[in-house]
Amino acid sequence: MENLWPNDLLAEMPGSTPNAIETILEIQALGLAAITGGLVVGRVRDRSFRPARAWSLYIEPVDQPSKAYEFLIIRSADGGYPVAVEAYHLGDRRLKRCESKATLTKALQKIFAEPSSKSVIRTLAEESIAAGAVTRPQGGTQVQPARSIEIGPVFDTPDGQVSSVSMFGISGHISDTTLENLRDRNRRVVEPLNERFVVTMPFVGTVKATVSKEELDVLVAQATRSLKGY
């Protein structure tokens, strides 16, 4: 866990993206799972009040959303640069101003290299191990998959041809175009990230999720917090 933000983490990221700030955070969140052997996962939450924008990076032990920790938040006046990055656990060094994508990535590299950052992530990894992570003979760790992935056959709807999909506790419908892009590993849907992949699938209509009581408590608490403007 020595290098939590590899220099090549964004190497596969397109040169221009619809929202580079949010995408940088999302890729780091996904990369965190790979770097920690699946023990710690990251989630990006949009906390914007337009025109101002804000995105938080939460990190948590795998399958323990009730222990989510708000690692940092990025704020922007209009969705672009400059941005302010605040990492609460860094004390009097918690606030950084970044004028561009380059300075933002450098700031994030420094934040993830901080001993206190590694300590937070190491603590969450230990929570995962205590909750049932499996130790490999070589001394590494892995987590057994807990949720299935299933895509049903295509069928006709007023919105066109769609298929039902259930993955990681979320259920909804995706279009035949998304299915084709997924089948072909089209970069609109599948982007490489080191030895893993970022999969982006737009859902059609309502998306449903099956959650535990703990996860529901987290959702209710976050909804309450959001409505209060936090």
Side-chain angles (χ1 to χ4, degrees):
M1 207 179 293
E2 292 304 315
N3 192 3
L4 293 169
W5 183 292
N7 292 330
D8 62 349
L9 183 63
L10 302 179
E12 300 292 342
M13 181 177 169
S16 60
T17 57
N19 188 344
I21 299 168
E22 185 175 11
T23 302
I24 288 170
L25 270 188
E26 287 175 343
I27 290 178
Q28 173 59 29
L30 290 166
L32 190 60
I35 292 166
T36 61
L39 294 174
V40 180
V41 295
R43 304 178 191 277
V44 178
R45 298 178 184 173
D46 193 324
R47 295 175 54 189
S48 303
F49 284 89
R50 298 179 189 276
R53 304 298 307 275
W55 303 273
S56 287
L57 174 61
Y58 285 80
I59 59 176
E60 63 198 53
V62 67
D63 291 335
Q64 299 183 66
S66 62
K67 296 180 180 178
Y69 177 85
E70 189 173 19
F71 190 77
L72 60 82
I73 183 170
I74 298 179
R75 296 184 178 90
S76 165
D78 57 5
Y81 294 96
V83 298
V85 183
E86 189 168 9
Y88 304 111
H89 61 282
L90 295 183
D92 57 1
R93 294 177 292 111
R94 69 180 185 273
L95 195 61
K96 300 179 184 295
R97 179 183 170 89
C98 304
E99 302 292 338
S100 65
K101 174 180 170 182
T103 54
L104 173 60
T105 55
K106 287 181 180 178
L108 292 173
Q109 284 177 329
K110 290 181 179 179
I111 290 171
F112 277 90
E114 288 281 352
S116 55
S117 297
K118 294 180 180 180
S119 177
V120 168
I121 294 170
R122 189 174 294 110
T123 298
L124 296 179
E126 290 171 354
E127 291 276 355
S128 291
I129 294 171
V134 179
T135 303
R136 296 175 181 167
Q138 296 84 355
T141 56
Q142 64 182 9
V143 177
Q144 298 290 355
R147 298 185 176 185
S148 61
I149 300 174
E150 183 176 352
I151 299 178
V154 171
F155 59 93
D156 293 323
T157 73
D159 295 318
Q161 287 194 316
V162 302
S163 172
S164 61
V165 58
S166 177
M167 61 181 194
F168 317 131
I170 298 174
S171 298
H173 296 98
I174 56 176
S175 69
D176 56 344
T177 301
T178 299
L179 281 174
E180 291 169 357
N181 286 335
L182 182 59
R183 176 198 63 196
D184 300 336
R185 300 191 177 216
N186 188 292
R187 291 186 73 94
R188 294 180 182 178
V189 174
V190 181
E191 294 184 62
L193 174 63
N194 296 331
E195 296 181 357
R196 298 168 70 88
F197 298 89
V198 179
V199 177
T200 303
M201 295 199 300
F203 283 84
V204 177
T206 303
V207 176
K208 298 181 180 180
T210 302
V211 299
S212 67
K213 181 183 181 302
E214 280 191 339
E215 290 169 332
L216 178 59
D217 290 343
V218 172
L219 287 170
V220 170
Q222 291 295 327
T224 303
R225 175 178 177 177
S226 177
L227 289 168
K228 289 181 178 179
Y230 300 152

